[in-house]
Amino acid sequence: GPKVLQIPSHQIIDMGQMVTLNCDPVSNHLYFYWYKQILGQQMEFLVNFYNGKVMEKSKLFKDQFSVERPDGSYFTLKIQPTALEDSAVYFCASSLDRGYYEQYFGPGTRLTVL
Amino acid sequence: QQQVRQSPQSLTVWEGGTTVLTCSYEDSTFNYFPWYQQFPGEGPALLISILSVSDKKEDGRFTTFFNKREKKLSLHIIDSQPGDSATYFCAASGDSNYQLIWGSGTKLIIKP
């Protein structure tokens, strides 16, 4: 089936540093998402992105977070500066359209903030 | 209030048995309910989904039931197999938002 790729699979950084998580969504998909998962537990929505704009974001999407997809390249999540509580697995997803359309998830990036 | 409650937190079933997972929600505007399956170290993958206009959807050994009046849904797995061992999440969304609201997940173990 369609694949979403995420790079890197694991990132370790010091608190206060900047980190960029990269996502290569399914090629013809138009909607992109970031989710946060801690310890294999609940998935929590961070942000949804469409046509170059943030469409919706949760309270977890702090001011230190930003997303972009310049010129159809990677869909990125940037955290600057990072905090200890940002340690989690971040999943990227994409869908052809919103609503009832299936969201395809990548394998995740495990972020460890020391 | 946007919340999806899922139970049980963990479940062990013997191979060949029937697994039943349940979720409840509060927001009456939710109309799309997917179930995702997640194996360790992987991202979630859509297993089956149902719209609020239906009360049942079947896909092989997996069936999801929806009760709009009680705001509940369930996932039934018949002839459960060790390969079904994974974490299962229910989720919900509606026309008013783009995001999926997730349950807390059920860790399922199928014992041979």
Side-chain angles (χ1 to χ4, degrees):
Chain A
K3 295 283 189 188
V4 174
L5 304 177
Q6 289 188 242
I7 300 166
S9 58
H10 195 176
Q11 179 91 49
I12 302 174
I13 59 171
D14 291 324
M15 183 177 61
Q17 284 190 311
M18 181 195 76
V19 67
T20 300
L21 309 184
N22 299 293
C23 171
D24 188 10
V26 178
S27 60
N28 61 335
H29 284 186
L30 301 176
Y31 286 80
F32 313 113
Y33 314 79
W34 283 103
Y35 291 87
K36 179 180 181 181
Q37 186 178 47
I38 296 177
L39 296 175
Q41 297 302 313
Q42 188 152 1
M43 294 282 285
E44 297 192 273
F45 169 82
L46 289 175
V47 67
N48 168 274
F49 189 84
Y50 167 73
N51 197 25
K53 300 174 189 174
V54 170
M55 303 301 293
E56 193 173 21
K57 61 184 179 180
S58 73
K59 61 180 184 297
L60 294 179
F61 193 76
K62 304 177 293 185
D63 292 343
Q64 298 91 325
F65 288 46
S66 62
V67 291
E68 63 175 355
R69 194 187 186 208
D71 300 325
S73 60
Y74 286 149
F75 174 52
T76 63
L77 173 66
K78 184 184 293 185
I79 310 174
Q80 180 180 27
T82 51
L84 294 176
E85 60 265 26
D86 296 331
S87 293
V89 179
Y90 290 84
F91 289 97
C92 171
S94 68
S95 64
L96 188 60
D97 203 337
R98 65 180 180 93
Y100 315 146
Y101 287 79
E102 179 178 354
Q103 293 184 24
Y104 291 83
F105 285 77
T109 293
R110 180 176 296 279
L111 175 65
T112 302
V113 181
L114 302 176
Chain B
Q1 186 176 1
Q2 290 194 337
Q3 207 167 7
V4 176
R5 293 189 174 87
Q6 186 170 351
S7 63
Q9 186 174 3
S10 63
L11 180 63
T12 300
V13 175
W14 290 106
E15 182 177 359
T18 298
T19 297
V20 180
L21 312 179
T22 62
C23 286
S24 64
Y25 65 97
E26 297 169 6
D27 191 332
S28 57
T29 66
F30 287 158
N31 56 16
Y32 171 64
F33 304 89
W35 287 90
Y36 278 84
Q37 179 188 56
Q38 185 180 26
F39 294 104
E42 298 183 9
L46 182 67
L47 185 65
I48 192 170
S49 64
I50 193 166
L51 297 176
S52 58
V53 293
S54 301
D55 56 13
K56 177 183 175 182
K57 187 173 180 182
E58 198 171 333
D59 184 357
R61 296 186 295 111
F62 301 90
T63 302
T64 183
F65 294 91
F66 176 70
N67 185 319
K68 189 170 185 176
R69 183 179 60 84
E70 294 186 7
K71 294 183 182 174
K72 289 183 178 178
L73 59 155
S74 62
L75 175 68
H76 293 231
I77 309 173
I78 62 171
D79 189 25
S80 301
Q81 298 297 309
D84 297 332
S85 298
T87 299
Y88 292 79
F89 293 94
C90 62
S93 70
D95 288 336
S96 61
N97 56 40
Y98 299 87
Q99 62 175 286
L100 282 175
I101 307 299
W102 295 71
S104 54
T106 296
K107 186 173 182 179
L108 175 65
I109 297 172
I110 306 298
K111 284 193 170 181

Coordinates of all heavy atoms in Angstrom, one line a residue, chain A residues 51-91:
Chain A
N51 N -2.5 22.8 1.7 CA -2.3 23.9 0.8 C -1.4 25.0 1.4 O -1.6 26.2 1.2 CB -3.6 24.5 0.4 CG -3.6 25.4 -0.9 OD1 -2.7 25.2 -1.7 ND2 -4.5 26.3 -1.0
G52 N -0.3 24.6 2.1 CA 0.6 25.5 2.6 C 0.2 26.2 3.9 O 0.9 27.1 4.3
K53 N -0.9 25.7 4.5 CA -1.4 26.4 5.7 C -1.7 25.4 6.8 O -2.1 24.3 6.5 CB -2.6 27.2 5.3 CG -2.5 28.3 4.3 CD -3.8 28.9 4.0 CE -3.7 29.8 2.8 NZ -5.0 30.3 2.3
V54 N -1.6 25.9 8.0 CA -2.0 25.1 9.1 C -3.6 25.3 9.2 O -4.1 26.4 9.2 CB -1.4 25.6 10.5 CG1 -2.1 25.0 11.6 CG2 0.1 25.3 10.5
M55 N -4.3 24.1 9.1 CA -5.7 24.2 9.1 C -6.3 24.1 10.5 O -7.3 24.7 10.8 CB -6.3 23.0 8.2 CG -5.8 23.0 6.8 SD -6.2 24.5 6.0 CE -8.0 24.4 5.9
E56 N -5.6 23.3 11.3 CA -6.1 23.0 12.7 C -4.9 22.6 13.5 O -4.0 21.9 13.1 CB -7.1 21.9 12.7 CG -7.9 21.8 13.9 CD -9.0 20.8 13.8 OE1 -9.0 19.9 12.9 OE2 -10.0 20.9 14.6
K57 N -4.9 23.0 14.8 CA -3.8 22.6 15.7 C -4.4 22.5 17.1 O -5.4 23.1 17.4 CB -2.7 23.7 15.7 CG -3.1 25.0 16.1 CD -1.9 26.0 16.0 CE -2.3 27.4 16.4 NZ -1.2 28.4 16.3
S58 N -3.7 21.6 17.8 CA -4.2 21.4 19.2 C -3.4 22.2 20.2 O -2.4 22.9 19.8 CB -4.0 19.9 19.5 OG -2.6 19.6 19.7
K59 N -3.8 22.1 21.4 CA -3.0 22.9 22.5 C -1.6 22.4 22.7 O -0.8 23.0 23.3 CB -3.8 22.9 23.8 CG -4.0 21.5 24.4 CD -4.8 21.7 25.7 CE -5.0 20.3 26.4 NZ -5.7 19.3 25.6
L60 N -1.4 21.2 22.2 CA 0.0 20.6 22.3 C 0.9 21.2 21.3 O 2.2 21.1 21.5 CB 0.0 19.1 22.1 CG -0.8 18.2 23.1 CD1 -0.7 16.8 22.6 CD2 -0.2 18.4 24.5
F61 N 0.4 21.9 20.3 CA 1.2 22.5 19.3 C 1.6 23.9 19.8 O 1.0 24.9 19.5 CB 0.4 22.6 18.0 CG 1.3 22.9 16.8 CD1 2.1 22.0 16.2 CD2 1.3 24.2 16.2 CE1 2.8 22.3 15.1 CE2 2.0 24.5 15.1 CZ 2.8 23.6 14.5
K62 N 2.7 23.8 20.6 CA 3.2 25.0 21.2 C 3.8 26.0 20.3 O 4.1 25.7 19.1 CB 4.2 24.7 22.3 CG 3.7 23.6 23.3 CD 4.8 23.3 24.3 CE 5.9 22.5 23.6 NZ 6.9 22.0 24.6
D63 N 4.0 27.2 20.8 CA 4.7 28.3 19.9 C 6.0 27.9 19.4 O 6.5 28.4 18.4 CB 4.8 29.6 20.7 CG 3.4 30.2 21.0 OD1 2.5 29.8 20.3 OD2 3.4 31.1 21.9
Q64 N 6.7 26.9 20.1 CA 8.0 26.5 19.7 C 7.9 25.5 18.5 O 8.9 25.1 17.9 CB 8.7 25.7 20.9 CG 9.0 26.6 22.1 CD 7.8 26.6 23.1 OE1 6.7 26.5 22.7 NE2 8.2 26.7 24.3
F65 N 6.7 25.1 18.1 CA 6.5 24.2 17.0 C 6.2 25.0 15.7 O 5.5 25.9 15.8 CB 5.4 23.2 17.3 CG 5.7 22.2 18.4 CD1 6.3 22.5 19.6 CD2 5.3 20.9 18.1 CE1 6.5 21.5 20.5 CE2 5.5 19.9 19.1 CZ 6.2 20.2 20.3
S66 N 6.7 24.4 14.6 CA 6.3 25.0 13.3 C 6.3 23.9 12.3 O 7.0 22.9 12.5 CB 7.2 26.1 12.9 OG 8.5 25.7 12.8
V67 N 5.5 24.0 11.3 CA 5.4 23.1 10.2 C 5.5 23.8 8.9 O 5.1 24.9 8.7 CB 4.2 22.2 10.2 CG1 4.2 21.2 11.4 CG2 2.9 23.0 10.2
E68 N 6.1 23.1 7.9 CA 6.1 23.6 6.5 C 6.3 22.5 5.5 O 6.8 21.4 5.9 CB 7.1 24.7 6.4 CG 8.6 24.2 6.6 CD 9.6 25.4 6.3 OE1 9.2 26.5 5.9 OE2 10.8 25.1 6.5
R69 N 6.0 22.8 4.3 CA 6.3 21.8 3.2 C 6.7 22.7 2.0 O 5.9 22.9 1.1 CB 5.2 20.9 2.9 CG 5.6 19.8 2.0 CD 4.5 18.9 1.5 NE 5.0 17.8 0.7 CZ 4.4 17.2 -0.2 NH1 3.2 17.6 -0.6 NH2 5.0 16.1 -0.8
P70 N 8.0 23.1 2.0 CA 8.4 24.0 0.9 C 8.5 23.3 -0.4 O 9.1 22.2 -0.5 CB 9.8 24.5 1.4 CG 10.3 23.4 2.4 CD 9.0 22.8 3.0
D71 N 7.8 23.8 -1.4 CA 7.9 23.3 -2.8 C 7.7 21.8 -2.9 O 8.4 21.2 -3.7 CB 9.3 23.7 -3.4 CG 9.5 25.2 -3.4 OD1 8.5 25.9 -3.6 OD2 10.7 25.6 -3.2
G72 N 6.7 21.3 -2.2 CA 6.4 19.9 -2.3 C 7.5 18.9 -1.9 O 7.4 17.7 -2.3
S73 N 8.4 19.4 -1.1 CA 9.4 18.5 -0.6 C 8.9 17.8 0.7 O 7.7 17.6 0.8 CB 10.7 19.2 -0.4 OG 10.5 20.3 0.6
Y74 N 9.8 17.6 1.6 CA 9.4 17.0 2.9 C 8.4 17.9 3.6 O 8.5 19.1 3.6 CB 10.6 16.8 3.8 CG 11.5 15.6 3.4 CD1 12.9 15.7 3.7 CD2 11.1 14.5 2.8 CE1 13.8 14.7 3.4 CE2 11.9 13.4 2.5 CZ 13.2 13.5 2.7 OH 14.1 12.5 2.4
F75 N 7.5 17.3 4.3 CA 6.7 18.0 5.3 C 7.4 17.9 6.6 O 7.8 16.8 7.1 CB 5.3 17.2 5.4 CG 4.4 17.8 6.4 CD1 4.1 19.1 6.5 CD2 3.8 16.9 7.3 CE1 3.2 19.6 7.5 CE2 2.9 17.4 8.2 CZ 2.6 18.7 8.3
T76 N 7.7 19.0 7.2 CA 8.6 19.0 8.4 C 7.9 19.6 9.6 O 7.0 20.4 9.5 CB 9.9 19.9 8.1 OG1 9.5 21.2 7.9 CG2 10.6 19.4 6.9
L77 N 8.4 19.1 10.7 CA 8.0 19.6 12.0 C 9.3 20.1 12.7 O 10.2 19.3 12.9 CB 7.3 18.5 12.9 CG 7.0 18.8 14.3 CD1 6.0 19.9 14.4 CD2 6.6 17.6 15.1
K78 N 9.3 21.3 13.0 CA 10.5 21.9 13.7 C 10.1 22.3 15.1 O 9.0 22.9 15.3 CB 10.9 23.1 12.9 CG 12.2 23.8 13.4 CD 12.6 25.0 12.7 CE 13.0 24.7 11.3 NZ 13.5 26.0 10.6
I79 N 11.0 22.0 16.0 CA 10.8 22.3 17.4 C 12.0 23.2 17.8 O 13.1 22.7 17.7 CB 10.7 21.1 18.3 CG1 9.6 20.1 17.8 CG2 10.3 21.6 19.7 CD1 9.6 18.8 18.6
Q80 N 11.8 24.4 18.2 CA 12.8 25.3 18.6 C 12.4 26.3 19.6 O 11.5 27.2 19.3 CB 13.3 26.0 17.3 CG 14.5 27.0 17.6 CD 15.0 27.7 16.3 OE1 14.2 27.9 15.4 NE2 16.2 28.1 16.3
P81 N 12.9 26.2 20.8 CA 13.8 25.3 21.4 C 13.1 24.0 21.9 O 11.9 24.1 22.2 CB 14.5 26.0 22.5 CG 13.4 26.9 23.0 CD 12.6 27.3 21.8
T82 N 13.8 22.9 22.0 CA 13.2 21.7 22.5 C 13.2 21.7 24.1 O 14.0 22.4 24.7 CB 13.9 20.5 22.1 OG1 15.3 20.7 22.4 CG2 13.7 20.2 20.6
A83 N 12.2 21.0 24.6 CA 12.1 20.8 26.1 C 12.0 19.3 26.4 O 11.8 18.5 25.5 CB 10.8 21.5 26.6
L84 N 12.3 19.0 27.7 CA 12.3 17.6 28.1 C 11.0 16.9 27.7 O 11.0 15.7 27.3 CB 12.6 17.5 29.6 CG 14.0 18.0 30.0 CD1 14.1 17.9 31.5 CD2 15.1 17.1 29.4
E85 N 9.9 17.6 27.9 CA 8.5 17.0 27.7 C 8.2 16.8 26.2 O 7.2 16.2 25.8 CB 7.4 17.9 28.3 CG 7.3 19.3 27.8 CD 8.1 20.3 28.6 OE1 9.1 19.9 29.3 OE2 7.7 21.5 28.6
D86 N 9.1 17.2 25.3 CA 9.0 16.9 23.9 C 9.4 15.5 23.5 O 9.2 15.1 22.4 CB 9.7 18.0 23.1 CG 9.2 19.4 23.2 OD1 8.0 19.5 23.5 OD2 10.0 20.3 23.1
S87 N 10.1 14.8 24.5 CA 10.5 13.5 24.2 C 9.2 12.6 24.0 O 8.3 12.5 24.8 CB 11.3 12.9 25.4 OG 12.5 13.6 25.6
A88 N 9.2 12.0 22.8 CA 8.0 11.2 22.4 C 8.3 10.6 21.0 O 9.4 10.8 20.5 CB 6.8 12.0 22.3
V89 N 7.4 9.8 20.5 CA 7.5 9.4 19.1 C 6.5 10.2 18.3 O 5.3 10.4 18.7 CB 7.1 7.9 19.0 CG1 7.2 7.5 17.5 CG2 8.0 7.0 19.8
Y90 N 7.0 10.8 17.3 CA 6.2 11.7 16.5 C 5.9 11.0 15.2 O 6.8 10.5 14.4 CB 7.0 13.0 16.2 CG 7.1 13.9 17.4 CD1 8.1 13.6 18.3 CD2 6.2 14.9 17.6 CE1 8.2 14.4 19.5 CE2 6.3 15.7 18.8 CZ 7.3 15.4 19.7 OH 7.4 16.2 20.8
F91 N 4.6 10.9 14.9 CA 4.1 10.2 13.7 C 3.6 11.3 12.7 O 2.8 12.2 13.0 CB 3.0 9.3 14.0 CG 3.5 8.0 14.7 CD1 3.3 7.9 16.1 CD2 4.0 7.0 14.0 CE1 3.8 6.8 16.8 CE2 4.4 5.8 14.7 CZ 4.3 5.8 16.1

